[in-house]
Amino acid sequence: MSSISSLYQIYLNHPTICTDTRKITEGCIFLALKGDRFDANTFAAQALQEGAAYAIIDNPEYQISDKCILVEDVLSTLQELARHHRKQLSIPVVGLTGTNGKTTTKELINAVFSTKYRSYATQGNLNNHIGVPLSILSITKETEIAVIEMGANHQQEIGFLCTIAQPTHGLITNVGLAHLEGFGGFEGVKIGKGELYAYLKQHNGTVFVNSDNPHLIEMSSTAKLNDIVWYGSNPSDYIYGELLSSDPLLEVSWTLQSETSVASINLTGGYNFENVLAAICLGSYFNTDPKSINDGLASYIPKNNRSQIIKTLSNTVICDFYNANPSSMSAALKNLSTLSFGHKTVIIGDMFELGNESGKQHEIIAQEAAALEIDQLILIGDYFYALRDKYQGRFFNTPDEAAHYLQDNPPQHSLILLKGSRGMALEKLLPLL
């Protein structure tokens, strides 16, 4: 079995890590991870044929040459290799978690940082026990600052990811009603996300806290944090700001040491105000000048169907169907109600991983949606369908059923909110809008 130090020397010579044989690049290291439905050990030979320099495996049956490095467990080796690499880095690493807005906030922070630094940020949503070590191993010696996103659906997960990312600074965007099944309710969410605060307290890190969020204030107090940088709408905050407009794109006024600036951002949703302010706060803290901060924010183009506006031939669609939970769904509905548009349509799908709260939370959202002044309401999925006799709207069991309806009854000249959990695959409806 190879030691981490010897593997690290190989990594330094071949610093590209790949876990997918469809994405092999010349000279990379292929990691044969196991999944629920596959064992990548079986692809080791193929990875080497396609140009990988080495394949790290944990099944001796597939050790066909000295280019196949046998370890006890590939996943734990990946995590240990990332920890070892992180210890060699002396740069600031911002650890970021939260119920909603993690990826958007991470992208905004990186857009600001990149105006001044050679920055690195988690790619996409590689934010779990596999994604975080892969992200750490993507940080090169040229990198001056990094933002690592950390996701979780149960307690002790953020704490574990912190042992890999070893953040020097940290931010929790918010805490809300998501993954209630795994966390064991809302209090469990707070404990789970609060593991970032606990790690930073233990390691004398700096924490950025939204002063408008009572849950984060309570959590930061419980953690007895030593070094807090506040941002929000309070003039005593390090950075304080005001949402000037969100119809549909954001304009934000913000103040640092009595100097006020205005930033325009290609994002919709007033709920993104706190994410923008977080990016401004971190940029300012790391000595980025106000003009560069505003330029960085202006350069950000939302993608991945998060608060993204798409104009189709017939309609304007708010694509927010990357994921959904009761907190983000309620915020999206409230945001739609503030937008000035002649005709409005809401198409929402079921929210997953809510455990015993599923029925109750879907009814709350159905109630909120039915109370809106909108022209059409379409609700999709088993949980919403169960409410079809209680609320006005069109109810469908599946997106395919909704698609058949939309083919025959396409909305015209409408502002459409399209939102649901990832597993609902609501993107299949977009071509019909």
Side-chain angles (χ1 to χ4, degrees):
M1 298 288 175
S2 294
S3 68
I4 289 297
S5 56
S6 63
L7 280 178
Y8 190 64
Q9 290 309 308
I10 293 172
Y11 159 78
L12 290 177
N13 292 321
H14 302 275
T16 302
I17 304 289
C18 185
T19 61
D20 186 340
T21 49
R22 295 167 297 185
K23 299 176 182 176
I24 295 292
T25 57
E26 190 69 33
C28 73
I29 299 174
F30 174 69
L31 285 174
L33 293 169
K34 293 188 187 76
D36 293 335
R37 300 175 187 168
F38 66 90
D39 179 358
N41 283 279
T42 61
F43 298 112
Q46 180 187 339
L48 293 172
Q49 286 170 4
E50 292 180 4
Y54 292 92
I56 298 179
I57 61 173
D58 51 18
N59 187 333
E61 284 182 42
Y62 299 97
Q63 196 171 20
I64 58 170
S65 75
D66 60 359
K67 297 291 186 184
C68 292
I69 302 171
L70 184 65
V71 298
E72 193 169 322
D73 180 77
V74 172
L75 176 58
S76 58
T77 297
L78 165 65
Q79 293 164 343
E80 281 301 320
L81 191 63
R83 280 193 192 95
H84 188 80
H85 180 53
R86 174 66 186 94
K87 286 173 184 168
Q88 318 309 312
L89 303 169
S90 57
I91 62 171
V93 172
V94 178
L96 189 152
T97 191
T99 300
N100 299 314
K102 289 185 295 296
T103 300
T104 297
T105 304
K106 176 254 302 180
E107 297 289 350
L108 289 167
I109 292 170
N110 191 47
V112 169
F113 279 171
S114 61
T115 64
K116 182 179 174 70
Y117 300 102
R118 291 189 294 274
S119 64
Y120 174 83
T122 299
Q123 300 298 298
N125 67 327
L126 289 173
N127 63 13
N128 64 4
H129 62 295
I130 296 171
V132 167
L134 289 173
S135 297
I136 293 297
L137 289 167
S138 298
I139 300 174
T140 68
K141 61 180 184 294
E142 284 78 31
T143 305
E144 296 175 309
I145 195 166
V147 188
I148 301 297
E149 180 181 332
M150 296 183 282
N153 57 17
H154 58 267
Q155 290 181 36
Q156 300 182 349
E157 195 169 359
I158 294 296
F160 174 73
L161 295 177
C162 283
T163 69
I164 297 171
Q166 298 163 39
T168 55
H169 300 74
L171 170 79
I172 300 175
T173 56
N174 49 53
V175 285
L177 301 170
H179 305 298
L180 299 179
E181 194 170 18
F183 279 114
F186 181 57
E187 288 304 313
V189 174
K190 288 161 67 176
I191 292 168
K193 300 298 185 183
E195 290 163 16
L196 176 58
Y197 285 174
Y199 178 91
L200 290 162
K201 162 71 174 175
Q202 187 180 352
H203 294 84
N204 299 314
T206 300
V207 180
F208 304 88
V209 181
N210 179 359
S211 69
D212 296 326
N213 189 311
H215 298 305
L216 297 181
I217 293 171
E218 175 204 337
M219 290 161 63
S220 62
S221 174
T222 301
K224 296 183 168 56
L225 297 172
N226 298 323
D227 189 1
I228 298 179
V229 180
W230 298 96
Y231 63 93
S233 57
N234 190 323
S236 64
D237 292 336
Y238 170 67
I239 292 289
Y240 74 93
E242 179 187 354
L243 179 60
L244 299 178
S245 174
S246 60
D247 194 6
L249 300 181
L250 301 190
E251 190 174 59
V252 171
S253 163
W254 61 278
T255 302
L256 168 67
Q257 295 172 347
S258 72
E259 182 182 344
T260 299
S261 302
V262 174
S264 300
I265 307 98
N266 295 301
L267 261 180
T268 189
Y271 50 84
N272 275 308
F273 168 63
E274 61 189 34
N275 303 330
V276 170
L277 217 53
I280 292 168
C281 183
L282 270 85
S284 298
Y285 180 86
F286 285 102
N287 302 314
T288 310
D289 67 88
K291 182 183 183 304
S292 296
I293 289 173
N294 290 341
D295 288 346
L297 293 171
S299 73
Y300 171 69
I301 305 295
K303 52 191 177 187
N304 299 329
N305 304 310
R306 292 177 171 94
S307 301
Q308 184 178 356
I309 293 181
I310 291 180
K311 290 194 185 302
T312 67
L313 286 174
S314 308
N315 303 289
T316 299
V317 185
I318 300 174
C319 296
D320 204 4
F321 48 82
Y322 183 83
N323 219 333
N325 56 58
S327 304
S328 66
M329 189 73 88
S330 182
L333 291 171
K334 284 173 185 159
N335 177 66
L336 186 75
S337 70
T338 68
L339 301 180
S340 52
F341 212 92
H343 190 283
K344 295 180 185 179
T345 301
V346 169
I347 304 175
I348 53 177
D350 274 0
M351 304 169 289
F352 297 163
E353 293 187 57
L354 298 178
N356 296 333
E357 287 277 308
S358 294
K360 175 186 172 185
Q361 294 300 331
H362 280 84
E363 177 144 18
I364 290 171
I365 294 301
Q367 213 168 8
E368 285 185 21
L372 290 175
E373 290 185 13
I374 57 174
D375 299 275
Q376 187 170 27
L377 172 61
I378 295 173
L379 303 99
I380 308 167
D382 294 341
Y383 285 109
F384 280 132
Y385 192 73
L387 302 167
R388 63 193 180 281
D389 296 328
K390 295 183 72 172
Y391 299 98
Q392 293 293 318
R394 294 193 177 273
F395 293 78
F396 300 95
N397 267 314
T398 67
D400 287 337
E401 290 177 15
H404 288 306
Y405 171 78
L406 289 168
Q407 279 174 335
D408 297 332
N409 304 275
Q412 299 286 330
H413 313 298
S414 189
L415 176 64
I416 302 171
L417 171 65
L418 185 61
K419 187 168 180 66
S421 273
R422 186 72 210 89
M424 290 300 295
L426 294 186
E427 65 272 11
K428 65 175 65 173
L429 301 182
L430 192 57
L432 303 173
L433 303 176

